[in-house]
Amino acid sequence: MFENQKIRPAQVIGPLGEPLTLETLPAPGTSRWVVRRKAEVVAAVNGGLLTVDEVCERYDLTVEEFAAWQRAVDRSGMPGLRVTRIQHYKSLYERQQKY
């Protein structure tokens, strides 16, 4: 009976070291995405607080958009999420892959 139920944590550690819960995540329907909010959503998924599908539905994102956020965090941390720096970090990552 309990095998199919997924156990979720009540909270996870956010990108700045603070605890994140469903209540402290950005509000559903958020449309203005600053670096901190993106990083919080990525941390929530990585910690098991939400699934990718739940995030996409809750925030009206595409899977590709969320995956880009995850890649940016994995490659460059929070600075990689800055829209104005995407090209810089992309070219930096490509150069690192060559060597």
Side-chain angles (χ1 to χ4, degrees):
M1 177 174 157
F2 292 104
E3 294 173 14
N4 293 332
Q5 293 181 350
K6 300 211 180 211
I7 298 174
R8 294 183 184 209
Q11 66 181 21
V12 297
I13 302 300
L16 301 176
E18 77 289 356
L20 288 177
T21 64
L22 290 175
E23 292 78 31
T24 60
L25 284 174
T30 296
S31 60
R32 185 169 181 271
W33 288 102
V34 295
V35 171
R36 180 186 49 81
R37 289 184 189 142
K38 291 177 186 179
E40 287 174 346
V41 172
V42 170
V45 171
N46 290 344
L49 196 58
L50 291 170
T51 66
V52 173
D53 292 334
E54 289 169 335
V55 163
C56 291
E57 183 177 328
R58 180 177 171 132
Y59 298 113
D60 194 29
L61 301 172
T62 64
V63 174
E64 293 80 14
E65 186 175 13
F66 179 76
W69 292 359
Q70 279 188 314
R71 280 191 307 275
V73 169
D74 290 345
R75 290 178 180 172
S76 307
M78 284 181 63
L81 291 169
R82 291 183 59 198
V83 173
T84 57
R85 301 295 287 171
I86 288 174
Q87 275 305 99
H88 169 76
Y89 287 110
K90 182 179 177 184
S91 65
L92 180 66
Y93 179 73
E94 288 170 352
R95 281 195 309 261
Q96 288 173 346
Q97 294 295 71
K98 290 180 183 177
Y99 302 105

